[in-house]
Amino acid sequence: MVRLCAEEAEADDPADDPVLVAQLLDRARPGAVLLLGTALPAALIAAATTRQIPVLLAEFRVGPRDLAWGLQGGMRRQLLAQVAAVMLTDAASLGLSRRLSLPAAKLAMTGPVSEIREPLHCSETERVSMAQQMNGRHAWFAASLPAPEEAVVLEAHQAALRRSHRALLILAPRDPARIDALARDIEAGGLTVARRSEDEDFGDEIQVLLTDGPTEMGLWYRLAPVSFMGGTLCGDEAAMRHPFEPAALGSAIVHGTEAGPFRTEWQQLDGAQAARQVRGPEDLCQAIADLTQPEPIATLASNAWTVSTGGADVAIRIADRVLAALDAPRPAAAARESL
């Protein structure tokens, strides 16, 4: 099987060189060609069709150019008619595909191929011990928090305390060098604080637990039913963590409007109602206060887990379609067998 990222093919144009693709197919003799993306390399598709090699499209999005009048739209529709399968990322693309009169048997909505990430690890002994110290308290986690967002998060915790007087904020500063100064700022604001670096206990009188910085993240995501993702309000990309980290560990996610390098992941989560986006300090206060209740937390966390683990299911569905194409007899082979 030949696999090609169609987006790259469109940029560098290697798959539109008839000589190059003919040499590639004749040398590799693949059983199928899998294209990822929305580009349709005409020379490659034509050469594969001539050789009766099935072409499958995955991660495909149908857009206005596929429906447009004119030469480009007509060429794309002709190329789509030649492929064996079109695996689409979204329901809108599926609806547009039907307007192109593509056979239903060719179409499948698999969803986007998302990164499959292994959940962050932690010490189970440590998790059990700290969960016992928390004694059923509501907790939320500010993950990799940059300095410009510290005051906003502490204000949001005050809102949480008004809803749940035993609430605990677990705060992981982006810069561990901020720990001592931040502890002083928290106490000056009227909140009690314990520092992980000093191995201080956090009983019911402690309102903020300061961690050692962006370490033991798997532990904090597991302990906190709600996580605010640092950097997403002020746009500090160095502070931003991958959104699937808390999603894979059952923590409901709150985030700002700044996506940084994770725009696709945030679009997936927000589109599936698997995260709560906030636009500023007031929104964050309201979100954290609302998420002291178990029902909205459970809904967000469940949806996020489904999104974060969906990449494996999409990959399996694409693989199944490719294997079916590899197993199917080619027309020429079928004709020979019937003689």
Side-chain angles (χ1 to χ4, degrees), residues 10 29 43 66 73 76 81-82 99 136 158 175 202 211 245 247 263-264 277 279 284 294 309 329 331:
E10 192 170 54
R29 300 176 64 84
D66 299 303
R76 286 182 64 84
Q82 296 178 47
R99 289 174 58 185
Q158 296 280 14
D175 180 6
F202 54 100
T211 79
E245 286 182 357
R263 185 168 304 277
T264 298
Q277 186 185 87
R279 298 188 175 278
L284 179 61
T309 58

Side-chain angles (χ1 to χ4, degrees), residues 193-262:
V193 61
R195 286 173 291 186
R196 174 74 164 166
S197 58
E198 302 296 328
D199 200 25
E200 296 172 341
D201 291 333
F202 54 100
D204 280 5
E205 74 281 0
I206 296 299
Q207 296 163 316
V208 181
L209 172 63
L210 267 179
T211 79
D212 294 336
T215 61
E216 300 183 289
M217 299 297 282
L219 173 64
W220 310 125
Y221 289 134
R222 285 176 171 86
L223 288 172
V226 178
S227 293
F228 168 71
M229 304 305 286
T232 59
L233 275 178
C234 69
D236 184 348
E237 294 192 6
M240 295 179 185
R241 307 281 303 191
H242 198 293
F244 287 1
E245 286 182 357
L249 293 172
S251 189
I253 304 167
V254 180
H255 68 101
T257 57
E258 300 295 327
F262 306 116

